[in-house]
């Protein structure tokens, strides 16, 4: 899944027309946080970096994207077998782990629109089609639909709701436009599509059409496929509308692994995270006649898209008939899990993951990540054949049914809850390559770690990944707009983890420190049939050099974390960020005149955490001969930040510092219990959530201090 906000391209692909022989050229770093002597590890890393191969990554991507492979289909199973074979060839102890989960597949999806005289304005959906796309006519291309959509047959007047954000629905209310019983048509972008449906449902709408406006990822941005990378007129963004901000995974088993033998009696109703109204994703080819015929007031500033007419809000002018018949069944999905046992601390686990299932071909999303992970496995396999064994266990995971709601990863995390107490980190990659611009998100304790990894990997554009990353983030706007305190020294912004990919169960349910990496570019075919191998080689990475780069970054994260003497988790950075979050929440509460909320206890708990972190940081820099106690404390500190009760109204989410926003879905809300209570002007809940946060910070400080 993963929302792509495409960045401007820094480097044209034409400039990279010649494949370069990219072996690591820069001298390895002399000292690395976490190692008392980096010399021997530098040699291992050099050997690792020499293995991931661009050409083989391209072959793997071609194989993975040869057919549509939506979760639980025979083609999805074939890709699982392929991954298992590749894992075994590399020497990984491999198993295919099935789960039985509730998934919908579309039986009937229909949209018709009529003007006030009853004349047909459109009848669709129109099949996705452009001149010359090689994969579009395969009968296995699933018709565009929303995962988790309710079934329904609804006829009602249409209302335009812009991006379907809280402020958009407020604006409609201010214009006295009632959406109750109406069909809301809104555009993709700005938030998770499930949030659009969630808000439409809360406001009493009868159904939702979600379309891709050319302003957001079509011709307004640049040439559409097959000329360029942007969305053509018939391209549709499929996707899940599961209320994943309530909980992700199998809708019937929150907190429980839906193994094939889990009895039906142990499964609950799917009510908790499923919409109750139908929704259908459509193209702008199909949305345009509806929007053009809408009457009512003209749209306010910021609501006009790029279609060539004035937009109106409705209601009136257009009656829409929407039919969505979904076939809900418990279906089998397949995770592929490959292990390399650690030689010294086999119970400590470094987990690497990427999802394999795609809405259609999924060349960028997710199989650029899959090819990168396979080449990382290739590199680890080569080290194994040379006699290397990692100090800690490394587990590579190929997740299934991520697109429907992070299902394969969530069920595995729920099943492995006990062994994940021993996980030191989770490294995710999803949309690995859509262009040349590297970026990363991480918990604060791993932000510097990711930067150091990026300094150790060459970029196809010359210099290191870090150099190129730094250059295209030359303005610090992105960082200043974030929640983090000012960056110190020579640095680059690392984002916060919200949701939309498989790190969510690891970090926000199990408390495993996580990172997510990608190399982005103009990408307008997200979740359409056109996200295929032909699009990838024309627009994203013609010589697969960025697949190679991402394989090196991902694999090096695992190798360095698995081998280190002392875990390089930086709790000083973490404590400083938490302090900044609390200060910002306090300012917000003051601005909103919520004067009864006392932040003092939380602020002093954050100060205690910082003091404990500074103490342990000094020990990490000069560790004792046996760092076992130190590592135990470092490993347990993130888990200590979980609140046993979970967040209000969404108890599955246990992390007190990060959660997906209830009204954003993808982007992170920090100290979520506190901030969402303030946003809702609920002082009582804010006070209670500050107490839970304070307890968590005290727990984490206690854990870090226990290493002494
Ligand atoms: Zn994805």
């Amino acid at each position: 899944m993963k929302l792509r906000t495409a960045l401007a391209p820094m480097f044209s692909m034409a400039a990279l027309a010649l494949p370069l022989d990219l072996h690591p050229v820069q001298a390895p770093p002399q000292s690395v946080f976490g190692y008392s002597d980096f010399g021997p590890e530098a040699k291992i890393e050099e050997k690792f970096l020499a293995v991931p191969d661009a050409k083989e990554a391209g072959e793997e991507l071609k194989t993975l994207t040869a057919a549509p492979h939506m979760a639980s289909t025979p083609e999805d199973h074939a890709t699982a077998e392929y991954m298992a074979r590749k894992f075994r060839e590399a020497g990984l102890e491999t198993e295919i782990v099935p789960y039985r989960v509730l998934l919908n597949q579309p039986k009937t999806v229909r949209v018709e629109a009529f003007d006030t005289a009853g004349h047909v304005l459109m009848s669709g959906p129109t099949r996705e089609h452009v001149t010359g796309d090689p994969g579009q006519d395969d009968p296995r291309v699933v018709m565009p639909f929303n995962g988790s959509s309710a079934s329904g047959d609804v006829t009602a007047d249409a209302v335009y709701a812009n991006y379907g954000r809280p402020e958009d629905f407020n604006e409609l209310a201010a214009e006295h436009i009632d959406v109750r019983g109406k069909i809301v048509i809104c555009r993709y972008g700005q938030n998770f599509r499930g949030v659009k449906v969630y808000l439409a449902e809360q406001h009493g709408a009868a159904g939702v059409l979600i379309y891709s406006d050319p302003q957001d990822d079509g011709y307004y941005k640049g040439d559409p496929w097959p000329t360029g990378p942007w969305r053509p007129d018939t391209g549709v963004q499929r996707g899940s509308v599961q209320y994943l901000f309530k909980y992700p995974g199998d809708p019937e088993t929150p907190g429980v692994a839906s193994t094939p033998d889990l009895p039906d009696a142990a499964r609950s109703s799917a009510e908790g995270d499923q919409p109750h109204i139908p929704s259908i994703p459509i193209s702008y080819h199909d949305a345009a006649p509806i929007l053009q015929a809408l009457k009512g007031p003209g749209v306010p500033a910021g609501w006009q898209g790029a279609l060539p007419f004035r937009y109106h809000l409705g209601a009136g002018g257009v009656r829409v008939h929407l039919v969505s018949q979904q076939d809900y069944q418990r279906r089998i999905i397949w995770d592929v899990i490959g292990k390399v046992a650690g030689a010294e601390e086999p119970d400590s686990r470094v987990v690497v993951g990427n999802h394999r299932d795609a809405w259609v071909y999924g060349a960028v999303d997710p199989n650029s990540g899959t090819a990168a992970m396979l080449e990382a496995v290739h590199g680890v396999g080569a080290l194994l054949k040379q006699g290397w064994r990692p100090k800690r266990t490394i587990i590579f995971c190929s997740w299934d049914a991520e697109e429907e709601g992070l299902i394969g990863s969530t069920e595995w995390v729920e099943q492995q809850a006990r062994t994940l107490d021993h996980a030191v980190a989770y490294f995710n990659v999803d949309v690995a390559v859509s262009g040349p611009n590297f970026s990363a998100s991480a918990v604060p304790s791993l932000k510097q770690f990711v930067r150091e990894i990026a300094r150790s990997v060459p970029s196809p554009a010359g210099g290191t990944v870090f150099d190129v990353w730094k250059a295209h983030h030359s303005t610090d706007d992105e960082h200043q707009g974030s929640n983090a305190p000012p960056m110190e020294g020579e640095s680059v912004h690392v984002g916060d983890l919200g949701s939309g990919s498989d790190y969510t169960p690891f970090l926000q349910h199990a408390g495993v420190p996580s990172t997510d990496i990608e190399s982005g570019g103009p990408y307008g075919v997200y979740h359409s049939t056109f996200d295929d191998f032909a699009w990838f080689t024309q627009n994203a990475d013609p010589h697969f050099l960025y697949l190679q780069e991402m394989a090196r970054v991902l694999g090096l994260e695992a190798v360095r974390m698995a081998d280190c003497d002392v875990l390089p988790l930086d709790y000083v950075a973490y404590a400083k960020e938490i302090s900044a979050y609390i200060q910002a929440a306090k300012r917000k509460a003051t601005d909103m005149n919520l004067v009864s909320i006392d932040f003092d206890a939380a602020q002093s708990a954050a100060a205690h955490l910082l003091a404990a972190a500074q103490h342990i940081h000094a020990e990490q820099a000069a560790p004792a001969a046996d760092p076992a106690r130190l590592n135990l404390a470092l490993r347990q500190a993130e888990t200590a930040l979980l609140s046993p009760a979970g967040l209000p109204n969404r108890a599955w989410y246990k992390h007190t510092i990060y959660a997906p926003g209830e009204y954003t879905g993808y982007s992170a809300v920090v100290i979520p219990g506190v901030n969402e209570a303030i946003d809702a002007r609920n002082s009582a809940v804010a006070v209670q959530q500050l107490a839970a946060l304070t307890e968590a910070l005290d727990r984490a400080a206690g854990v870090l201090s226990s290493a002494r």
Side-chain angles (χ1 to χ4, degrees):
M1 157 160 41
K2 236 194 152 189
L3 175 72
R4 296 300 84 226
T5 335
L7 300 162
M10 271 296 291
F11 308 98
S12 88
M13 282 299 153
L16 291 169
L18 288 174
L20 310 166
D21 187 26
L22 282 165
H23 284 289
V25 283
Q26 71 283 4
Q30 295 303 303
S31 78
V32 165
F33 190 51
Y35 285 85
S36 36
D37 172 11
F38 191 64
E41 179 69 11
K43 292 202 178 68
I44 291 163
E45 293 193 355
E46 200 183 332
K47 284 183 192 165
F48 168 78
L49 289 171
V51 182
D53 187 83
K55 203 158 158 270
E56 288 191 42
E59 290 301 318
E60 285 150 1
L61 183 64
K62 196 170 181 181
T63 303
L64 287 159
T65 58
H69 52 289
M70 188 169 68
S72 87
T73 61
E75 293 77 13
D76 174 41
H77 186 254
T79 59
E81 297 278 7
Y82 172 72
M83 294 298 286
R85 193 166 70 244
K86 298 292 278 190
F87 280 9
R88 288 187 184 113
E89 279 169 15
L92 274 50
E93 185 192 312
T94 302
E95 57 176 338
I96 295 181
V97 181
Y99 295 100
R100 185 161 161 260
V101 303
L102 188 70
L103 293 178
N104 63 310
Q105 289 178 2
K107 276 190 294 205
T108 307
V109 171
R110 200 161 75 239
V111 184
E112 300 163 303
F114 308 92
D115 67 13
T116 42
H119 295 129
V120 176
L121 292 165
M122 61 78 65
S123 176
T126 305
R127 195 174 168 90
E128 292 179 289
H129 187 84
V130 296
T131 305
D133 180 86
Q136 61 194 355
D137 294 325
D138 190 300
R140 294 168 297 186
V141 174
V142 71
M143 69 179 89
F145 76 111
N146 285 139
S148 287
S149 169
S151 289
D153 184 329
V154 183
T155 302
D157 284 355
V159 171
Y160 175 58
N162 198 23
Y163 291 108
R165 300 168 297 184
E167 58 267 40
D168 296 328
F169 282 98
N170 292 344
E171 180 78 34
L172 286 172
E175 297 272 354
H176 305 291
I177 292 166
D178 189 354
V179 301
R180 280 178 299 174
K182 305 291 196 306
I183 288 174
V184 165
I185 178 166
C186 55
R187 53 171 159 165
Y188 271 116
Q190 302 291 325
N191 59 8
F192 169 55
R193 68 185 82 69
V195 169
K196 301 174 197 288
V197 177
Y198 182 58
L199 286 166
E201 182 180 323
Q202 285 184 346
H203 285 84
V208 184
L209 295 173
I210 316 174
Y211 81 102
S212 300
D213 198 286
Q215 187 176 64
D216 299 295
D217 65 4
Y219 58 71
Y220 186 83
K221 294 275 193 180
D223 284 328
W225 175 246
T227 310
W230 296 103
R231 193 177 299 273
D233 62 346
T234 58
V236 183
Q237 181 188 139
R238 293 159 185 76
S240 172
V241 292
Q242 181 199 63
Y243 296 165
L244 77 77
F245 38 86
K246 300 279 189 195
Y247 60 86
D250 178 16
E252 295 182 312
T253 64
V256 175
S258 49
T259 52
D261 60 357
L262 183 74
D264 291 352
R267 297 165 193 260
S268 63
S269 97
E271 278 297 288
D273 73 345
Q274 300 288 292
H276 301 87
I277 56 174
S279 63
I280 297 176
I282 59 174
S283 65
Y284 73 79
H285 175 279
D286 286 347
I290 299 172
L291 292 167
Q292 187 161 20
L294 267 186
K295 303 264 193 286
V299 291
W303 286 47
Q304 175 72 36
L307 292 168
F309 48 78
R310 185 66 186 167
Y311 292 24
H312 292 79
L313 298 175
V318 184
R319 213 160 165 73
V320 170
H321 178 213
L322 171 165
V323 184
S324 164
Q325 294 302 339
Q326 299 298 323
D327 178 18
Y328 273 91
Q329 288 186 33
R330 296 191 185 112
R331 302 171 197 269
I332 300 293
I333 60 166
W334 306 274
D335 290 348
V336 184
I337 308 293
K339 288 182 200 175
V340 180
E344 292 177 31
E345 294 178 38
D347 283 345
S348 288
R349 292 166 172 84
V350 174
V351 187
V352 179
N354 155 263
H355 76 93
R356 184 188 71 251
D357 66 298
W359 282 119
V360 191
Y361 297 97
V364 171
D365 180 7
N367 296 128
S368 62
T370 319
M373 187 168 78
L374 279 176
E375 281 309 296
V377 166
H378 185 192
V380 164
L383 292 183
L384 291 172
K385 278 164 193 136
Q386 294 169 45
W388 169 83
R389 288 279 301 282
K391 197 177 275 186
R392 299 177 183 80
T393 294
I394 302 178
I395 306 178
F396 287 96
C397 308
S398 170
W399 309 121
D400 203 352
E402 187 271 0
E403 293 295 2
E404 285 79 357
L406 322 180
I407 296 179
S409 58
T410 298
E411 299 313 310
W412 192 79
V413 165
E414 289 170 347
Q415 188 171 18
Q416 297 291 327
R418 205 163 302 147
T419 65
L420 286 173
D421 277 354
H422 301 273
V424 298
Y426 172 67
F427 300 125
N428 191 64
V429 66
D430 182 342
V431 174
V433 178
S434 58
N437 300 324
F438 184 84
S439 66
S441 301
V443 288
S445 54
L446 284 172
K447 288 183 178 180
Q448 192 56 25
F449 176 79
V450 180
R451 294 184 189 112
E452 287 184 9
I453 293 288
R455 285 182 200 275
S456 303
V457 175
S459 166
T464 68
V465 172
F466 182 88
D467 298 334
V468 178
W469 183 13
K470 173 96 181 142
H472 83 80
H473 279 75
S474 55
T475 69
D476 283 335
D477 292 355
E478 191 183 355
H479 188 79
Q480 279 160 12
S482 77
N483 306 292
M487 290 187 295
E488 291 158 13
E490 173 81 357
S491 204
V492 64
H493 176 73
V494 179
D496 297 328
L497 293 165
S499 191
S501 198
D502 294 304
Y503 53 78
T504 273
F506 284 89
L507 175 64
Q508 293 154 354
H509 187 67
V512 180
S514 301
T515 73
D516 187 41
I517 53 171
E518 75 164 295
S519 182
Y523 176 41
V525 296
Y526 174 62
H527 288 186
S528 75
T529 190
F530 308 120
D531 183 356
D532 57 19
F533 190 74
W535 185 95
F536 186 89
T537 51
Q538 180 179 313
N539 297 293
D541 190 14
H543 304 293
F544 314 111
L545 297 173
Y546 287 89
L547 290 182
Q548 179 185 43
E549 172 193 292
M550 295 303 278
R552 286 170 165 165
V553 173
L554 184 69
L556 201 62
E557 285 187 292
V559 168
R560 190 174 287 180
M561 186 61 77
D563 274 349
C564 62
D565 304 311
V566 181
L567 297 173
L569 296 166
D570 179 359
Y571 279 96
V572 173
Y574 213 145
K576 285 182 178 169
E577 286 218 26
I578 292 169
S579 230
Y581 300 163
I582 296 171
Q583 279 168 33
K586 186 181 178 181
R587 272 197 305 277
K588 184 168 68 175
T590 308
D591 291 349
M592 292 170 71
N593 224 359
L594 301 169
V595 287
S596 63
I597 309 171
D598 186 350
F599 288 81
D600 287 357
Q603 281 181 315
S604 67
H608 289 147
L609 179 63
L610 178 59
Q614 282 164 335
H615 195 277
I616 204 166
H617 199 273
E619 288 193 55
Q620 285 170 282
D626 180 10
R629 271 178 80 82
L630 206 52
N631 282 336
L632 183 68
L634 289 162
R635 198 181 71 198
Q636 291 177 336
E638 185 85 45
T639 324
L641 293 171
L642 301 182
S643 140
L647 294 177
N649 305 318
R650 40 187 189 142
W652 187 91
Y653 283 99
K654 306 239 176 260
H655 206 282
T656 56
I657 313 299
Y658 297 104
E662 185 175 2
Y663 295 107
T664 60
Y666 287 125
S667 56
V669 52
V670 300
I671 50 169
V674 177
N675 270 319
E676 292 193 334
I678 294 171
D679 292 342
R681 309 192 67 90
N682 190 333
S683 297
V685 172
V687 166
Q688 176 233 325
Q689 288 300 305
L690 269 168
L693 172 63
T694 303
E695 279 174 34
L697 298 178
D698 285 343
R699 252 192 323 270
V703 163
L704 291 181
S705 302
S706 71
R708 289 181 207 172

